[in-house]
Amino acid sequence: MAESRTGPPLRCPRRGLARARVTVSLLALVVCGCIIREPKSASQSRPASARPSISTRFARLTHAQWTNSVRDLLGVSVADLQSGLRNDPRPAGFAFDNLAASSSVDDALARDYQRAAAVAAERATAAPAQLERVFPEPNGAGDAAGEAFIRSMGGRAHRRQLDSDEVEQYLAVWRAGASAYPELPERTARVRLVLEAMLQSPHFIYRVIHGQVGADGNIELDAAELAARLAFALWNTMPNDDLLRRASLGELDDPSRVREVAARMLGDERARGVLLSFHAQLLERDRLSRIAPSKDSFPDVSEDFAAHAARESDLFLDYQVWERSAGYSDLLRSNETFVNADLAKIYGIDGSFGESFSKVSLDPERRSGLLTQVAFLASHATSRDPDPIHRGVFVARRLLCQNLTAPGNLPPLPPANGRTNRQAVEAHTEVAGSGCAVCHRRTINPLGFPFEGYDAVGRERSTDNGLPVDTQATPTIDAVQKPVRDGVELSALLAESGSAHACYVRQWLEFAYGRPATRADAALIERVGERSRLGQLSIREILIELVSAPEFRVQRAEELL
Amino acid sequence: MKLSRRLVLRGAGAALALPLLESLGTRSAHARTAEAPFAIFFRQACGVASQQTTSEIGPEPERFWPRGTGPLTARSLEGRALDELAGHAGRLLVVKGVNMYDFDYGDGHARGALQGLTARGPVVRGAGGNAEADGESIDHRIGRELNPGGRDSLFLYAGPDGGWLGGACISYRGPGQRRAALRRPRQAYELLTGGDTGGTEEQQALIARRQKSVNDLVRAQLQSLLARTDLSQHDRQRLDLHFSAIRDLERSMLRLSKDEERRLGDAARYVESTDGDDVMSLVRLHMDVAVLAIASGHTRSVAIQVGNGNDGSTRYRDPDTGKHMENYHYVSHRRRSHDASGDIIAGADLQHHKVDRYFARMFEHLISRLAAYPSVSGGSLLDRGVSVWYNDHGDGPAHGTSNCPFILAGSAGGFFKQNRCVRLASGGATHARMLNTIGSAVGLRNARGEHLDDFGDPSLPRGVLDELLATSSS
């Protein structure tokens, strides 16, 4: 799971190149200024003839996808094996854990697959009932039985029918099974060794795109490949037999039918975990694991505070997406949430609460969605004070898809010395004419200061260092400066913002497609984002739109050798 | 050689009954590798407590570097962090004046951590915490060119999975191609030993047979995919890497003792810890495995990274009070904040020095381990290669590019001067030359078969630093 990069705050460009924000195309790279990635207007959309995005033909399964697929293929629990697979590197600049272009199999991972496959195959053949599940053929351990098994199990593992050469290769393994496991019954031994091989096969480890490159340089996924892509995107696991059957019957041949299939898939329990995983990564949930509120400043915060905050966020998202079929605006506007006794104190809710969580309605004048919930506020704070810089950077980067340059060597932020936290930050970062002011004054600080009404654990506050807290700011959103009174009003502004909705769609696209968005995706992002802004699409429907789009099915080959 | 034959490397400090390396046999590639020079890189972040003036503390005295240059003596090292290595002074080369280049990484930590072993700038300028290095790292190049079969060099990591710069970040296959690190020493150990630590010869032969059957199939499938003519360069590289990673069972003749193997297993509890004691225990176990990997000829290069991009979570214990200090990154900033806000930490300069001493002691563990290992050609394993303790930065709060510590132990078979502190005569960006020099010491050569001069950004001065060579009279 890709984690956010925590650490020094962003400062303005070192060389003072930009005086104001620069709005450019969706994918332009940083030159120096604060903002560069905003969705273009409709008039700037790519022409219909624009080429699709480049993707690898060999997207390696994430470790979660590998273990989920083993579970579904063999019907045994293997979740414990995931931690035995060596950690993937965290590619920079991609928010999620599934960037296909950076995933590879090196010495260490090949060794880990070997070990994990052996354990999984052993579990799948350990008892007669389990063996029966993976190998229902009753006719002994001969080649004919082996071939039937290989064609059946191999078809599921490879997510397509095996050709005769592949069957022969697996038969060689089948034959070697008896001597490889002489202590086992012949049938068991052969099944076990073949399963080990299938779980290490590149056709299992990668989501292989077999199609030829067309004359236009594009590769279109066939029905089985599309089924696999849908399954890994929406379920985080391999396609089941029903999905592959539907693919073989042509149900994935046109976008409207793909929509129907995707909608059905999103009704599956497995999709819930995918949506939670997406939001946890988008919201930099990993930061919660590293917070340490000061015992001096917050003596009543429990040891489990961070876990409770994460739980609240999950319950909120699950409720919104599944119970209320919410849209993105609802995530930013809802005043409902879930609290236990620990969090009820933070929110100032009277009543009787225990360890378990209950749904509550908060004062809509004071709380509004994810950005005013404890998880975001506490994970973007120091041990004592709220952190308006990182709160602002989060909103700019993750919710508005603005790209910010980071500074080199940071000058230290002086102590508040009788000032408010905001005054200290302003004095340090908004000095007229300084390079810092370029980003901080117009972009970062106005997106962070509205949350100064919440302290380092997310509790409301009206004073700071004995002075009144100032939460008013004038952020620039959708290229317009608009004054807001506090975090609630900023959340409302974001909920109505075309940039924010487009950014949310863009984040979903990157997660579902396993690659960065490109210029070729701009029109799709803009179209779906606008419908989301207008309240025409729920979060689930956003996902359906993305996986039924041509951009999901057609990719451009990387440059050939 | 029979699989059951085990040679046990006992812990440093114990009575040594160490195998001579010729016992590996002279015909195998491993045996040849086991006699060749090597490099182990040990990375520290956040600079050192050198002489500097900070706005937080004011004038800070020199607590790291030896006094002057020339031979290392008790007097030159006294009171400095390097006096932790005084027992090995005869094998040290302390290099002053290694300056990294001020590439526009957009963040000081990115500039130091990502440039440290690559001598390259960023793929995208100014990307800060989202930066990637634009080239291969020297540890990987050593493995790629010199390891048997081009086997990956080892990349070991003691730090959080994520955080600033994404956690493990110093080793690269190529531009933007960050390598995966191993966090659990047991994982690396099993790469060397084949994983199975018990069983009869017959049982081990069975394991080898099973793996070979499966490997033959996986290789055939990969070859079939590689035979396609319409693969992109990246896809071909991806499959090539996978293909080269499919190896039949290879079992090192060298093993740790049973007690040490048990400790490797127990190390899992250290992996997620931010307690400095645990981190140091983990690093020492990584070092034990690294030495074994070198001794057995598994690799000629190892990189060991401590802490993520800014080492922003490890909390070392103050040896004087027994209490944990603030995390190392705070200490290096002299403030209670990752972001240069927060209160000044009184005495942070001295605390930084104490952390430097901890790193020195970890490096000393590595040196002792290598020194305890006899080499066929005489001397010890330590003498045969070079171990490099280096830092992303030259100093604490400024996190500057100048005078980044490079402390070398071992002569790499007589390549480097020993028992010296040398200040590089050439000014400017000398860091790329430092890496070219280390690469040359290990055996890398340019296209003409001469000492390395093609590593790192082409715009930087490259080639060997003559003043570090044993053959140099300067």
Side-chain angles (χ1 to χ4, degrees):
Chain A
M1 180 174 290
E3 293 190 354
S4 63
R5 312 305 174 92
T6 59
L10 300 186
R11 204 179 55 177
C12 41
R14 286 188 292 171
R15 292 169 189 164
L17 297 177
R19 292 186 179 175
R21 72 176 216 168
V22 181
T23 303
V24 296
S25 70
L26 190 70
L27 277 186
L29 296 174
V30 174
V31 176
C32 78
C34 317
I35 308 167
I36 64 162
R37 288 193 321 190
E38 289 197 358
K40 298 191 300 183
S41 67
S43 62
Q44 295 171 299
S45 300
R46 74 181 174 101
S49 60
R51 304 186 68 189
S53 300
I54 292 173
S55 283
T56 173
R57 286 172 176 272
F58 304 98
R60 205 211 69 208
L61 306 191
T62 65
H63 295 340
Q65 289 171 345
W66 189 89
T67 47
N68 289 345
S69 297
V70 173
R71 174 201 65 201
D72 293 345
L73 183 70
L74 305 183
V76 293
S77 175
V78 289
D80 58 310
L81 300 183
Q82 186 175 330
S83 63
L85 304 177
R86 66 106 176 96
N87 294 69
D88 277 323
R90 304 300 180 97
F94 195 75
F96 307 106
D97 64 353
N98 61 347
L99 180 59
S102 75
S103 299
S104 58
V105 181
D106 57 13
D107 281 20
L109 186 55
R111 164 72 202 158
D112 291 341
Y113 279 142
Q114 201 171 56
R115 183 173 40 223
V119 173
E122 181 181 13
R123 288 179 189 174
T125 55
Q130 289 161 326
L131 180 63
E132 200 65 29
R133 179 188 169 95
V134 295
F135 184 56
E137 299 290 331
N139 300 322
D143 275 8
E147 180 172 343
F149 167 66
I150 287 164
R151 287 191 183 280
S152 168
M153 183 60 73
R156 296 178 63 213
H158 286 214
R159 304 179 281 274
R160 61 172 174 77
Q161 287 191 338
L162 273 55
D163 64 31
S164 56
D165 286 347
E166 289 169 327
V167 171
E168 273 305 314
Q169 288 166 350
Y170 278 115
L171 272 173
V173 177
W174 170 267
R175 291 168 192 136
S179 59
Y181 288 106
E183 75 278 16
L184 297 177
E186 194 173 6
R187 179 166 172 257
T188 306
R190 288 180 164 165
V191 171
R192 183 164 159 182
L193 194 63
V194 168
L195 290 179
E196 284 184 41
M198 286 180 176
L199 301 186
Q200 295 174 67
S201 164
H203 298 283
F204 183 74
I205 289 172
Y206 300 101
R207 189 170 50 74
V208 179
I209 307 299
H210 293 273
Q212 297 289 325
V213 180
D216 56 1
N218 298 338
I219 305 170
E220 183 163 352
L221 277 58
D222 66 24
E225 291 165 352
L226 182 58
R229 189 163 200 179
L230 282 168
F232 285 114
L234 302 182
W235 290 343
N236 215 27
T237 187
M238 60 181 281
N240 60 13
D241 292 345
D242 180 61
L243 182 57
L244 288 173
R245 184 182 59 79
R246 290 178 185 279
S248 69
L249 294 175
E251 291 194 23
L252 302 181
D253 288 351
D254 71 72
S256 65
R257 301 190 74 179
V258 173
R259 279 194 185 89
E260 291 172 18
V261 170
R264 267 199 303 274
M265 292 176 72
L266 285 175
D268 189 288
E269 187 66 24
R270 284 172 287 195
R272 296 174 92 108
V274 170
L275 269 88
L276 287 181
S277 173
F278 165 78
H279 286 103
Q281 294 180 65
L282 177 68
L283 299 171
E284 301 180 336
R285 180 78 57 73
D286 61 288
R287 292 176 67 118
L288 271 179
S289 65
R290 295 191 288 275
I291 67 169
S294 162
K295 290 292 182 192
D296 295 335
S297 302
F298 308 104
D300 56 343
V301 168
S302 77
E303 290 293 323
D304 297 324
F305 172 69
H308 293 159
R311 179 70 178 147
E312 178 204 359
S313 187
D314 274 350
L315 287 169
F316 171 78
L317 288 162
D318 200 69
Y319 170 72
Q320 291 293 334
V321 173
W322 302 105
E323 302 298 321
R324 295 200 59 244
S325 296
Y328 179 49
S329 297
D330 298 310
L331 300 190
L332 297 167
R333 296 300 305 273
S334 173
N335 65 319
E336 294 177 306
T337 193
F338 294 79
V339 300
N340 63 358
D342 195 18
L343 296 187
K345 284 188 294 186
I346 301 293
Y347 285 115
I349 304 173
D350 295 330
S352 177
F353 296 94
E355 279 296 300
S356 62
F357 282 75
S358 309
K359 184 159 72 71
V360 296
S361 294
L362 305 173
D363 182 348
E365 295 294 317
R366 299 169 184 274
R367 301 279 179 172
S368 176
L370 285 166
L371 295 179
T372 60
Q373 289 178 3
V374 169
F376 167 70
L377 296 167
S379 63
H380 294 80
T382 70
S383 61
R384 294 174 187 275
D385 295 309
D387 184 349
I389 295 176
H390 278 99
R391 287 175 178 178
V393 167
F394 171 85
V395 173
R397 274 188 168 163
R398 291 297 175 100
L399 303 192
L400 292 169
C401 291
Q402 295 172 349
N403 207 345
L404 302 169
T405 57
N409 299 316
L410 285 168
L413 183 69
N417 283 344
R419 298 172 295 180
T420 64
N421 191 45
R422 172 174 180 155
Q423 287 168 339
V425 171
E426 282 176 330
H428 191 65
T429 63
E430 297 190 17
V431 176
S434 73
C436 301
V438 176
C439 287
H440 277 276
R441 182 182 294 173
R442 288 185 62 94
T443 303
I444 296 172
N445 296 353
L447 294 172
F449 287 150
F451 302 105
E452 281 292 276
Y454 308 101
D455 66 16
V457 295
R459 193 160 33 205
E460 272 195 283
R461 65 177 191 170
S462 57
T463 62
D464 177 20
N465 276 336
L467 300 170
V469 164
D470 180 4
T471 59
Q472 297 186 67
T474 309
T476 304
I477 297 175
D478 296 342
V480 178
Q481 284 191 306
K482 293 181 182 173
V484 297
R485 194 179 56 197
D486 54 23
V488 171
E489 285 198 1
L490 176 56
S491 292
L493 199 57
L494 290 167
E496 296 166 0
S497 157
S499 301
H501 281 268
C503 180
Y504 184 70
V505 170
R506 176 198 170 114
Q507 302 282 16
W508 261 120
L509 182 143
E510 296 195 345
F511 178 78
Y513 289 26
R515 62 164 173 79
T518 74
R519 188 182 301 274
D521 304 311
L524 173 64
I525 290 171
E526 185 177 349
R527 185 174 69 249
V528 177
E530 182 60 10
R531 291 186 62 198
S532 172
R533 187 186 71 81
L534 294 171
Q536 295 173 356
L537 296 175
S538 68
I539 290 168
R540 277 184 282 173
E541 288 167 337
I542 289 173
L543 195 46
I544 290 169
E545 290 298 310
L546 292 177
V547 299
S548 60
E551 287 84 346
F552 191 71
R553 181 169 199 151
V554 181
Q555 62 188 55
R556 182 152 54 99
E558 292 179 298
E559 79 291 359
L560 301 181
L561 284 175
Chain B
M1 182 168 288
K2 294 179 180 178
L3 291 172
S4 62
R5 184 173 170 188
R6 293 185 177 190
L7 304 171
V8 176
L9 173 61
R10 302 189 193 285
L16 295 173
L18 297 167
L20 290 178
L21 295 176
E22 69 265 38
S23 65
L24 291 170
T26 56
R27 286 173 298 175
S28 73
H30 277 208
R32 286 193 296 277
T33 303
E35 276 305 292
F38 62 86
I40 300 176
F41 300 92
F42 173 52
R43 175 265 191 176
Q44 178 184 0
C46 297
V48 293
S50 55
Q51 184 175 22
Q52 57 197 305
T53 298
T54 63
S55 60
E56 292 83 2
I57 306 292
E60 298 182 9
E62 181 58 61
R63 293 188 173 104
F64 183 82
W65 294 102
R67 293 170 182 80
T69 55
L72 297 167
T73 65
R75 171 62 190 140
S76 72
L77 295 172
E78 183 183 7
R80 306 293 163 83
L82 292 178
D83 70 14
E84 299 284 349
L85 305 175
H88 301 282
R91 260 77 168 262
L92 295 182
L93 175 57
V94 177
V95 187
K96 295 179 176 177
V98 177
N99 306 324
M100 293 193 194
Y101 186 72
D102 188 19
F103 287 112
D104 183 10
Y105 271 97
D107 168 66
H109 291 287
R111 185 185 57 217
L114 306 187
Q115 180 180 186
L117 293 183
T118 65
R120 291 275 182 172
V123 174
V124 176
R125 293 170 59 189
N130 288 332
E132 297 283 10
D134 195 20
E136 183 182 26
S137 57
I138 190 72
D139 60 309
H140 184 263
R141 178 158 172 184
I142 292 169
R144 180 170 59 82
E145 293 194 12
L146 302 179
N147 277 355
R151 180 202 304 281
D152 269 350
S153 60
L154 280 185
F155 177 25
L156 311 175
Y157 177 51
D161 185 26
W164 193 243
L165 298 177
C169 59
I170 64 172
S171 187
Y172 278 78
R173 293 187 189 283
Q177 295 179 299
R178 189 182 291 209
R179 292 182 61 204
L182 300 181
R183 299 176 75 199
R184 284 170 284 138
R186 184 95 197 179
Q187 280 179 303
Y189 184 62
E190 291 181 350
L191 272 177
L192 316 183
T193 61
D196 177 50
T197 56
T200 64
E201 269 187 58
E202 194 177 339
Q203 288 169 327
Q204 291 159 12
L206 274 176
I207 292 171
R209 191 183 306 163
R210 287 171 209 151
Q211 292 186 359
K212 184 161 189 329
S213 296
V214 173
N215 287 351
D216 286 347
L217 175 132
V218 173
R219 285 193 196 96
Q221 291 182 338
L222 285 166
Q223 276 179 324
S224 175
L225 292 169
L226 280 163
R228 295 182 62 134
T229 57
D230 59 352
L231 293 184
S232 71
Q233 183 176 357
H234 285 135
D235 281 345
R236 186 170 296 282
Q237 287 172 346
R238 178 174 290 110
L239 296 179
D240 276 336
L241 179 66
H242 190 167
F243 186 85
S244 67
I246 304 302
R247 299 176 190 281
D248 294 335
L249 184 64
E250 294 172 340
R251 293 170 53 79
S252 167
M253 298 302 106
L254 301 176
R255 307 190 75 94
L256 297 173
S257 69
K258 285 295 178 190
D259 280 349
E260 288 169 322
E261 286 183 345
R262 205 169 298 117
R263 286 201 296 126
L264 289 187
D266 294 343
R269 70 177 188 271
Y270 302 142
V271 168
E272 301 297 339
S273 176
T274 58
D275 185 314
D277 295 341
D278 292 342
V279 170
M280 288 190 287
S281 296
L282 183 60
V283 170
R284 289 190 174 97
L285 291 170
H286 276 321
M287 288 173 165
D288 294 348
V289 174
V291 172
L292 194 75
I294 295 291
S296 64
H298 178 89
T299 182
R300 288 172 62 179
S301 168
V302 182
I304 303 172
Q305 177 179 338
V306 185
N308 62 11
N310 60 5
D311 202 350
S313 57
T314 312
R315 296 187 67 184
Y316 293 95
R317 192 182 301 277
D318 187 324
D320 296 324
T321 66
K323 295 180 179 176
H324 284 103
M325 300 182 281
E326 292 287 357
N327 74 68
Y328 177 38
H329 185 234
Y330 283 17
V331 169
S332 77
H333 271 283
R334 316 291 191 249
R335 288 179 179 273
R336 287 188 181 84
S337 174
H338 289 306
D339 49 12
S341 63
D343 301 334
I344 293 171
I345 302 171
D349 55 336
L350 183 57
Q351 291 183 7
H352 196 158
H353 170 64
K354 291 171 180 175
V355 174
D356 290 342
R357 283 190 175 274
Y358 280 135
F359 272 85
R361 288 175 203 165
M362 287 187 272
F363 192 53
E364 198 277 337
H365 176 84
L366 174 64
I367 296 174
S368 294
R369 196 83 179 176
L370 290 165
Y373 225 92
S375 178
V376 173
S377 51
S380 69
L381 204 53
L382 174 64
D383 303 312
R384 214 191 68 211
V386 58
S387 299
V388 183
W389 169 26
Y390 78 97
N391 202 302
D392 296 348
H393 304 124
D395 46 23
H399 292 354
T401 55
S402 298
N403 206 27
C404 299
F406 268 74
I407 315 302
L408 279 56
S411 69
F415 188 92
F416 285 114
K417 286 178 178 172
Q418 299 283 263
N419 191 29
R420 283 285 188 285
C421 177
V422 174
R423 182 182 300 280
L424 297 179
S426 48
T430 50
H431 166 253
R433 295 188 68 192
M434 187 74 237
L435 297 187
N436 277 274
T437 306
I438 294 169
S440 297
V442 176
L444 293 177
R445 295 292 181 263
N446 64 18
R448 300 180 302 279
E450 301 162 342
H451 280 157
L452 200 61
D453 60 3
D454 60 5
F455 183 80
D457 189 298
S459 69
L460 298 175
R462 300 188 292 184
V464 165
L465 292 160
D466 291 331
E467 59 262 58
L468 303 184
L469 307 191
T471 53
S472 166
S473 58
S474 60

